Amino acid sequence: MKTVSLVSWLAVSTSVLRTANASLSFYAMGDVPYNDFEADNLVDQIADLSGSDALFTVHLGDYNTPANTGCSASHFERIADILSQGPVTTFVLAGDNDYLDCPSQKAAWSRYKNTFVGFEDEWNSSIDVDRKSGGPSSRPGGSELFAFYEEGVLFVSTVLMNGGGWSSRASASKSWIQEKLRDYKDENDFRGVIIFSHAEDSSNLEDFFDDIEDIFGAEGVDVPVLYLCGDRHRYVRQKGYNGWDQLDYVSVDKGGCADPILVEVADDGDSFGSGGDVFGGGLYKINRRGGRYGDSRCR
């Protein structure tokens, strides 16, 4: 059960930030673009990533405004064209605006999968991506689910988005996470898990993590878990989310209002210490890269 309300986690009583080497880093963004201004800004945001040594970028979903874009094939292609200019491998999730709220859910899901399942192959990457085989093709729970293991950390996606049909998407996501834990937990250096999702905090998400905590216990996995999502449009963090000490929750700012965040993973045996934007007992650190824009840039 969740023991505290979800608020911006502003500080701890003692913070000890340390300089540590990062074994890898990646960018995360979400909820962008919602209009032409934000699309143009996204082009600039992607260009600003040039020269980075990050391993990959992940978009956490919501790049349609269904009333305007109609979730059309041409709009999905437009987003792919923008993101494909990025310097590093990019993974793209779907949000409720890209599926649930579209004029035709079936058509939107087909367009999403045709555009973004395997999108990572546009880059010459060393990441060994595992995508789910089988599962439904016309609704969430199939090959859009992905996972990979790098530097002792399991990265795993979900198909969580708030709205109708939650239970089937939650079930598919739980099964996928459990399957990947079993596949990777015997690795010699299994240090953490990062879960990618669209869905923000809700009673449904709390119930989901009740079950996920039980799955981790059943699999004998006791490592720091970082849940990264969009949907809320604000940078919000909560440590020990839902009463699970090993779980930290972070939602990213709406991409039209802030640059992509940079997430770093500490070297094995090293630590980033403690502090507001350090998570997982020092394993993960977030650099907001300037934080939220002024109101004039956030439309």
Side-chain angles (χ1 to χ4, degrees):
M1 291 293 293
K2 187 176 178 181
T3 57
V4 293
S5 61
L6 183 60
V7 296
S8 294
W9 200 91
L10 298 176
V12 291
S13 57
T14 58
S15 297
V16 182
L17 293 174
R18 294 182 51 197
T19 300
N21 292 321
S23 61
L24 67 86
S25 62
F26 65 92
Y27 293 103
M29 68 177 79
D31 307 286
V32 66
Y34 283 167
N35 52 48
D36 288 339
F37 172 84
E38 291 185 358
D40 291 342
N41 193 52
L42 180 59
V43 171
D44 293 338
Q45 289 175 334
I46 294 298
D48 286 344
L49 305 183
S50 296
S52 169
D53 60 359
L55 183 62
F56 64 90
T57 296
V58 59
H59 192 304
L60 298 167
D62 268 14
Y63 29 84
N64 275 279
T65 48
N68 297 324
T69 68
C71 305
S72 65
S74 62
H75 186 74
F76 279 96
E77 291 165 3
R78 181 189 187 192
I79 301 307
D81 286 345
I82 294 173
L83 295 177
S84 68
Q85 302 307 306
V88 294
T89 303
T90 301
F91 300 92
V92 183
L93 277 62
D96 53 294
N97 284 8
D98 313 310
Y99 170 58
L100 290 178
D101 302 332
C102 294
S104 168
Q105 292 183 357
K106 184 176 180 179
W109 196 249
S110 175
R111 291 162 185 162
Y112 163 70
K113 294 192 72 167
N114 288 340
T115 306
F116 290 122
V117 171
F119 187 59
E120 65 274 8
D121 296 334
E122 295 289 321
W123 291 264
N124 183 17
S125 172
S126 63
I127 302 174
D128 184 11
V129 180
D130 181 12
R131 285 196 175 268
K132 181 177 172 61
S133 60
S137 60
S138 60
R139 57 181 172 81
S143 57
E144 69 282 352
L145 288 164
F146 65 86
F148 53 91
Y149 174 89
E150 292 284 341
E151 299 291 343
V153 177
L154 172 63
F155 299 87
V156 59
S157 74
T158 73
V159 285
L160 297 178
M161 58 189 87
N162 287 310
W166 170 274
S167 60
S168 66
R169 295 190 298 275
S171 177
S173 299
K174 285 183 283 191
S175 295
W176 179 242
I177 290 171
Q178 184 165 30
E179 178 184 331
K180 295 303 103 182
L181 285 178
R182 288 175 175 172
D183 286 348
Y184 292 103
K185 69 180 182 180
D186 292 330
E187 297 285 348
N188 292 330
D189 186 23
F190 191 64
R191 300 189 291 144
V193 176
I194 297 181
I195 298 174
F196 300 130
S197 178
H198 180 69
E200 67 157 318
D201 174 58
S202 67
S203 59
N204 281 333
L205 189 64
E206 293 168 19
D207 293 342
F208 175 83
F209 274 113
D210 284 340
D211 293 340
I212 291 296
E213 183 176 7
D214 290 342
I215 287 171
F216 271 67
E219 297 299 329
V221 176
D222 185 26
V223 296
V225 181
L226 180 62
Y227 178 81
L228 278 177
C229 68
D231 200 18
R232 193 176 180 88
H233 294 192
R234 288 280 181 176
Y235 182 76
V236 176
R237 61 197 183 208
Q238 183 176 322
K239 301 183 179 184
Y241 179 73
N242 202 44
W244 182 9
D245 289 343
Q246 288 281 46
L247 174 63
D248 295 333
Y249 166 110
V250 173
S251 65
V252 300
D253 270 313
K254 178 177 180 287
C257 297
D259 289 341
I261 62 170
L262 179 68
V263 184
E264 296 178 282
V265 178
D267 271 343
D268 190 14
D270 211 339
S271 171
F272 291 117
S274 62
D277 288 324
V278 175
F279 305 90
L283 180 59
Y284 314 117
K285 182 176 70 172
I286 289 178
N287 178 352
R288 295 184 65 193
R289 304 178 62 240
R292 199 169 179 87
Y293 303 154
D295 290 344
S296 63
R297 297 186 64 188
C298 184
R299 299 183 183 179

